[in-house]
Amino acid sequence: MQDVIIIGGGPGGIAAAVRAAQLGAAVTIIEEAELGGVCLNRGCVPTKALLASAALLARVRRAGEYGITVGEPSFSLRAAMARKDSMIAELRAGTESLLASYGVKVVRGTAGLVGPRQVEVGGEIIEGRAVIVATGSTPAKPVVDGIDSKGVITTDEALALEEVPARLLILGGGPIGVEFAAMFHGFGSRVTLVEPGPQILPGEDHEVGQRVRQSLRDRGIDVLIKTAPTSIRQQEGEELVVSLAGRSGEVSADKVLTTGRAPCLVDLGLTKVGVRLAGGAIVVDDGMRTNVPGLFAIGDATGGQMLSHLASVQGLVAAENAMGRARRMDYRAVPRCLHTDPEVGCVGLTEAQAEEQGYQFKTSTIPFTLSARATTLGDLEGAVKIVAEARYGKILGVHIVGPQATELIGEAALAIQLEATAEDLAYAIRAHPTLAESQVEAARDILGQAIFLPKW
Amino acid sequence: MATKVVMPKLGMAMTDGVVVKWLKADGDQVEKGEHIAVVMSKKITYEVEAPAPGLMRYAAHLKEPKPVGEAIAFIAEPGEAVPGLAELAPVVAAKAVAPQLLEAQPPEAAPFIPATPAARRLAKEHGIDISQVKGTGPEGRIVEEDVARFIQERERAPREILISPMARKLAQEHGLDITQITGSGPGGRIVEEDVRKLIEAKKEVPPVMAPPPRVVPFIGMRQAIAERMMESLRTMAQVTVTTEADVTETVRLREELKEEFDLTYTDIVVKTVAIALKKHPLLNATLVGEEIHLLEEANIGVAVALEEGLIVPVVRGADKKGLSEIARETKRLAQGARENTLTVDEVTGGTFTVTNVGMYEMDTFTPIINPPEAAILGVGRIVEKPAVKKGQIVVCSIMHLSLTFDHRIVDGAPAADFLRTVKHTLEKPYRLLG
Ligand SMILES: Cc1cc2nc3c(=O)[nH]c(=O)nc-3n(C[C@H](O)[C@H](O)[C@H](O)COP(=O)(O)OP(=O)(O)OC[C@H]3O[C@@H](n4cnc5c(N)ncnc54)[C@H](O)[C@@H]3O)c2cc1C
């Protein structure tokens, strides 16, 4: 009898396992592939490793700006992939020893529920006081004529390419699509990014969408919005021809990359034990409980925003609740980031969401062109935008496009979590010259006290 | 199977009890019927017997409240393992709860805090609970300076309330006292949601818009009375006994004497009491440390109601004074009280107090002793009532008497004896003339 059984060894499952063990539970975690899940093996980590290569390559090409003369750099995808693979291997080993240090039992195999608290794996049935489903997500291709053509790949395969495709068409302008666009553009592909909605990075603040779209275009990436493929045809010689809705002409590509994802719930036995699903994802409450007592679900398996850090925190919450504590998820301060160049870091409400939720609010935008630090770095693209509630100045959302936005957003996330007001941020002192100053300045601007914005 | 020894139900209302004493050690061999523990409910103690022979293991901590029916011990059969107390969950609250349960003390009455009016005003202005302030004035009285110092210290003290900036602003705008809000965030931090809930809750129950109260300053005589009365109730074990006296004869006597001089019933009662006190010296006493001092003189205080409050001038040596002299003196003292011309000597040194509420048409009440005296007699109105006397229904004048005495100094029987003497004297008052 185990206290907690976790199905899936991704970031959600691992966090849940460690926390449950910290609370004294006997924990078993079942993983059918590699520990670390999508995040470590086919998601966050490999993409960030490759984006680091792409960013450095771009930087090296700009070396002259900094007074450095280098020859034209040459890039090897194989070498970059090898670097990435060795990092994954290293982090995976770290994960294994982490779980071992907590005495978490790792069982290899595909698990399925046979009862609310009974899990079958490899012909054996394990019973637990609580079960946490953390099976994550897998790529999901859109339904389009010819989607199964050779050459239409998912992110899994894109992360294992041996050659840089000369022409890459990416379906989906969400964070994954944008990151891959930046990455392969950096590696030398001619990239076309196709987003069916009215803006890329759907759901993000419209200014963020615009800035990122502009920056992609400036780099030479074709960004097509409000369109989707109607058919994909395989020509001889592997070339793919994609027709797009509402557009005359076709786009040719060597590879078509799909970026959609769907919760991974097949053969899990969820319907057998009566778990409520909606839209192909497991329905949970704010304590990560499903409708079946003792059965929890976390991470990508529950749909919603598919983010690694969110899966982890949900794992902590599920573990605590499974161990008899009472902890609730707070979704107000979940950062959403892109490791592109410029980076993107967002947290909290967008302007549209603030309006939708009936807030009276103010916004302020401070471009990085006003930042001494951005200037010295030579990274002037982007801005910090704050959405604050008008009456009390409560910070509702912060949206950063620019250098180190993914790190800067941490401060904003804390501000939102602690319910800070514009004054709290505006009266803060940040070192000069740093990028963090821009966030303080944006808060000052909410109060009408920005000091580096010229008075018009 | 080990035998459970449970917390017995010692009374209908008993819900839990505590083990106050173990009569056998943890792990001792006990015989069936042997006394193993003393348990106590709020009312009684009881010795628990072993229901079976065997090895006894404690299942309760001393003074840990246990619901009736729950195990306080186990008696194991030979060779059987029973978890000891150490293995049971620790009882954190045991210490805190037990003494209260044991002594069943009544909750302490909010003590009256001596403080100057200025100190009170300052405290009120700053929303300070005056009982938190340490007084440095005479007898620990809180003076304005003490409150000022308290305010200063409070401002310097670190704010211990965890509250988010947003929640603080919101609370401020809605005039909510953040010290009264329970935080639901990490470490009890007050977050926006907590304040919003409170605001909502307040909305749901629209406050009855009470008109602002008329404010009467709580100063001077009012405050002095408050202090004295609270001190009295706090320090003495006061018991009130009441009786009726047939004062038909007293009424007649007064009617007669009134022809000669202005005489009130209070005057008659003062004289009556003074004489009775001579016979019952325990009622004319005061407690000094570990000694009861029986007082030589019967100095009778007479409560006089003024608009600002009550004052109690004293008729000294009333036992030695005649009715007319007493009548004259009470008149003079009452006059002095109204004109505020009494000397300190005229309002101090009383050994017993008489308070008459007859003119307000009251019968019995529970007067509060005027410290450091040992008793006080409350006089009610005189009403005509039918009574049966020698088989005849006759109309009598009845007076109600309420005696409050300090049970620390005197017990019920002697106090009642005293009151009976008073009653009998008032029923046959002519001996007062002697
Ligand atoms: C290309 C890409 C880039 C991404 N980049 C980022 C990023 O930068 N930042 C970010 O926050 N998020 C990123 N994500 C999303 C992130 O990877 C996921 O949100 C995260 O991995 C979800 O964690 P999880 O624990 O819910 O599930 P997963 O990581 O999907 O792990 C689930 C695990 O369960 C196992 N499993 C499934 N079914 C069973 C079964 N029946 N029995 C046993 N084991 C099973 C799987 O093998 C897998 O290992 C990215 C995703 C992709 C695809």
Side-chain angles (χ1 to χ4, degrees):
Chain A
M1 182 75 149
Q2 291 290 285
D3 293 312
V4 179
I5 301 172
I6 298 160
I7 308 178
I14 290 165
V18 170
R19 186 70 191 116
Q22 283 173 346
L23 294 172
V27 184
T28 293
I29 189 165
I30 309 165
E31 171 56 56
E32 64 181 3
E34 303 95 12
L35 281 178
V38 169
C39 175
L40 174 55
N41 301 289
R42 299 177 295 281
C44 329
V45 173
T47 51
K48 267 80 255 180
L50 293 172
L51 279 164
S53 294
L56 185 58
L57 185 58
R59 185 70 43 158
V60 169
R61 291 209 170 98
R62 286 175 56 195
E65 283 176 37
Y66 300 82
I68 304 161
T69 312
V70 291
E72 175 58 25
S74 70
F75 170 73
S76 154
L77 183 61
R78 275 167 201 268
M81 290 283 182
R83 171 180 180 272
K84 171 209 80 177
D85 290 337
S86 77
M87 284 171 180
I88 292 172
E90 214 171 286
L91 289 171
R92 211 187 279 154
T95 301
E96 254 158 62
S97 56
L98 172 75
L99 292 177
S101 79
Y102 273 101
V104 172
K105 206 166 142 199
V106 180
V107 174
R108 303 284 172 169
T110 302
L113 289 163
V114 289
R117 299 172 200 204
Q118 287 179 320
V119 177
E120 191 192 325
V121 56
E124 247 188 83
I125 290 178
I126 320 175
E127 279 197 57
R129 285 179 227 283
V131 175
I132 300 174
V133 176
T135 50
S137 63
T138 46
K141 289 183 180 179
V143 189
V144 178
D145 243 12
I147 196 77
D148 293 323
S149 312
K150 193 164 165 270
V152 178
I153 57 172
T154 66
T155 54
D156 288 358
E157 293 140 275
L159 291 171
L161 286 177
E162 296 187 344
E163 275 167 47
V164 176
R167 292 163 304 168
L168 176 67
L169 185 127
I170 300 174
L171 298 180
I176 296 176
V178 172
E179 279 194 347
F180 273 90
M183 184 196 307
F184 278 96
H185 169 78
F187 295 159
S189 296
R190 168 121 189 79
V191 177
T192 305
L193 182 65
V194 177
E195 163 58 39
Q199 83 169 49
I200 60 160
L201 300 179
E204 289 303 343
D205 195 83
H206 64 100
E207 269 185 60
V208 170
Q210 269 164 20
R211 274 178 204 283
V212 173
R213 182 175 169 197
Q214 192 56 49
S215 118
L216 293 176
R217 280 185 164 166
D218 289 350
R219 282 165 175 70
I221 296 168
D222 268 335
V223 181
L224 309 177
I225 55 167
K226 296 190 205 163
T227 185
T230 50
S231 73
I232 301 168
R233 269 178 305 120
Q234 180 106 47
Q235 308 285 86
E236 60 254 39
E238 310 232 325
E239 189 188 53
L240 294 161
V241 179
V242 182
S243 334
L244 295 167
R247 290 189 184 245
S248 55
E250 296 165 322
V251 182
S252 303
D254 300 296
K255 296 279 184 214
V256 170
L257 172 66
T258 64
T259 57
R261 298 194 72 78
C264 179
L265 307 177
V266 272
D267 299 333
L268 252 182
L270 293 175
T271 38
K272 192 160 49 194
V273 299
V275 176
R276 183 134 35 90
L277 305 176
I282 301 173
V283 177
V284 287
D285 66 9
D286 63 3
M288 308 319 293
R289 301 173 192 85
T290 68
N291 60 314
V292 177
L295 187 62
F296 296 77
I298 57 171
D300 285 7
T302 61
Q305 299 180 55
M306 295 190 176
L307 294 168
S308 177
H309 42 282
L310 183 57
S312 300
V313 174
Q314 289 178 330
L316 303 180
V317 169
E320 293 195 8
N321 291 335
M323 292 302 287
R325 303 211 168 183
R327 186 169 154 190
R328 288 191 295 153
M329 274 304 298
D330 179 356
Y331 288 100
R332 291 175 305 176
V334 183
R336 311 174 295 267
C337 294
L338 259 68
H339 291 73
T340 44
D341 177 22
E343 293 186 351
V344 179
C346 301
V347 66
L349 302 187
T350 66
E351 214 181 305
Q353 286 166 338
E355 199 161 325
E356 231 172 66
Q357 295 184 16
Y359 277 103
Q360 298 284 320
F361 62 91
K362 292 182 188 167
T363 67
S364 68
T365 303
I366 296 295
F368 279 111
T369 46
L370 295 176
S371 161
R373 181 57 178 153
T375 308
T376 60
L377 287 172
D379 292 323
L380 292 170
E381 244 180 310
V384 176
K385 174 175 179 175
I386 293 183
V387 181
E389 184 271 336
R391 180 147 185 191
Y392 305 99
K394 185 171 86 151
I395 312 273
L396 298 175
V398 178
H399 310 277
I400 307 174
V401 177
Q404 295 168 42
T406 57
E407 301 295 335
L408 290 174
I409 206 66
E411 179 168 21
L414 187 66
I416 290 176
Q417 184 186 336
L418 298 186
E419 300 180 348
T421 65
E423 271 117 319
D424 295 311
L425 209 49
Y427 299 169
I429 303 174
R430 296 291 170 273
H432 181 75
T434 56
L435 298 164
E437 286 176 293
S438 296
Q439 208 159 187
V440 172
E441 179 75 347
R444 287 195 200 115
D445 193 31
I446 290 281
L447 305 177
Q449 298 169 10
I451 54 170
F452 299 112
L453 268 186
K455 185 180 171 196
W456 300 119
Chain B
M1 261 290 276
T3 311
K4 234 201 231 176
V5 185
V6 300
M7 176 61 67
K9 193 167 176 69
L10 305 175
M12 288 299 286
M14 176 171 170
T15 56
D16 50 11
V18 297
V19 176
V20 288
K21 194 173 171 189
W22 292 108
L23 303 175
K24 288 277 166 185
D26 191 20
D28 267 6
Q29 185 66 36
V30 298
E31 292 308 319
K32 184 175 169 168
E34 229 183 322
H35 289 176
I36 53 173
V38 181
V39 299
M40 193 180 204
S41 75
K42 288 188 177 99
K43 294 216 172 77
I44 56 171
T45 56
Y46 178 81
E47 284 188 14
V48 179
E49 291 176 6
L55 188 94
M56 179 172 83
R57 296 303 310 264
Y58 294 170
H61 295 264
L62 267 189
K63 300 190 178 177
E64 167 196 359
K66 279 274 181 190
V68 166
E70 224 177 82
I72 55 170
F74 289 101
I75 295 175
E77 285 170 22
E80 190 187 18
V82 169
L85 251 192
E87 293 103 278
L88 297 174
V91 181
V92 186
K95 266 218 176 72
V97 183
Q100 193 192 337
L101 186 67
L102 282 178
E103 278 137 44
Q105 279 172 337
E108 228 182 276
F112 178 77
I113 315 282
T116 66
R120 273 181 211 286
R121 187 185 17 80
L122 191 64
K124 193 177 158 197
E125 272 170 21
H126 286 80
I128 289 165
D129 173 4
I130 195 121
S131 69
Q132 304 296 309
V133 181
K134 214 175 121 52
T136 61
E139 287 170 37
R141 195 183 179 90
I142 300 162
V143 296
E144 191 175 5
E145 207 178 295
D146 298 329
V147 180
R149 191 172 346 97
F150 183 86
I151 292 167
Q152 240 176 32
E153 274 162 20
R154 188 177 68 166
E155 264 150 28
R156 230 178 295 133
R159 294 236 166 250
E160 280 184 17
I161 297 168
L162 281 177
I163 179 166
S164 87
M166 178 60 194
R168 186 186 290 280
K169 275 193 172 183
L170 199 62
Q172 231 159 39
E173 188 175 288
H174 286 81
L176 298 174
D177 177 0
I178 59 169
T179 61
Q180 303 301 312
I181 304 173
T182 321
S184 68
R189 192 167 197 265
I190 302 168
V191 296
E192 182 182 354
E193 199 187 354
D194 303 324
V195 182
R196 293 233 179 260
K197 275 191 187 148
L198 197 66
I199 293 168
E200 278 311 304
K202 294 212 161 172
K203 259 192 219 151
E204 277 157 27
V205 190
V208 182
M209 286 304 282
R214 242 162 26 92
V215 175
V216 176
F218 185 62
I219 52 170
M221 187 183 244
R222 194 66 262 143
Q223 204 180 320
I225 292 168
E227 265 172 51
R228 268 187 98 66
M229 294 299 103
M230 281 313 300
E231 184 202 336
S232 174
L233 285 178
R234 199 165 51 240
T235 57
M236 294 187 205
Q238 306 197 11
V239 181
T240 303
V241 289
T242 65
T243 190
E244 288 178 357
D246 173 356
V247 293
T248 315
E249 294 297 316
T250 295
V251 171
R252 197 168 300 145
L253 175 71
R254 176 171 173 258
E255 295 304 324
E256 276 171 32
L257 292 179
K258 250 176 85 175
E259 310 280 300
E260 295 168 34
F261 58 94
D262 198 353
L263 180 68
T264 65
Y265 288 113
T266 306
D267 299 334
I268 298 173
V269 173
V270 167
K271 176 68 183 169
T272 306
V273 161
I275 291 170
L277 285 175
K278 286 279 135 189
K279 231 176 119 188
H280 305 274
L282 269 177
L283 277 294
N284 198 45
T286 189
L287 191 62
V288 181
E290 286 172 3
E291 296 171 345
I292 295 172
H293 290 191
L294 306 180
L295 305 169
E296 215 23 69
E297 292 189 305
N299 301 337
I300 311 298
V302 181
V304 177
L306 303 176
E307 201 173 315
E308 313 91 276
L310 202 68
I311 191 156
V312 188
V314 176
V315 180
R316 290 179 180 274
D319 56 320
K320 298 195 190 79
K321 287 179 178 160
L323 272 178
S324 62
E325 202 180 345
I326 289 174
R328 233 178 301 124
E329 198 162 335
T330 55
K331 210 137 295 123
R332 185 181 56 77
L333 290 170
Q335 176 97 7
R338 278 188 289 275
E339 289 167 2
N340 200 14
T341 56
L342 293 176
T343 65
V344 172
D345 281 350
E346 286 167 329
V347 291
T348 55
T351 61
F352 188 100
T353 299
V354 170
T355 170
N356 190 345
V357 296
M359 51 286 213
Y360 307 111
E361 296 175 28
M362 297 298 116
D363 294 327
T364 57
F365 62 117
T366 59
I368 298 175
I369 297 170
N370 204 3
E373 296 170 12
I376 182 169
L377 182 68
V379 180
R381 67 172 160 179
I382 297 169
V383 280
E384 291 198 328
K385 277 189 181 171
V388 182
K389 290 227 163 135
K390 290 177 191 151
Q392 297 270 333
I393 296 181
V394 292
V395 174
C396 297
S397 293
I398 301 294
M399 176 191 264
H400 291 267
L401 296 170
S402 309
L403 175 76
T404 299
F405 61 95
D406 184 353
H407 210 321
R408 295 176 311 163
I409 297 177
V410 58
D411 287 337
D417 244 6
F418 164 79
L419 188 57
R420 208 163 46 185
T421 302
V422 172
K423 171 183 154 94
H424 289 163
T425 311
L426 290 171
E427 287 174 347
K428 299 216 162 43
Y430 292 98
R431 62 186 88 169
L432 289 176
L433 299 174

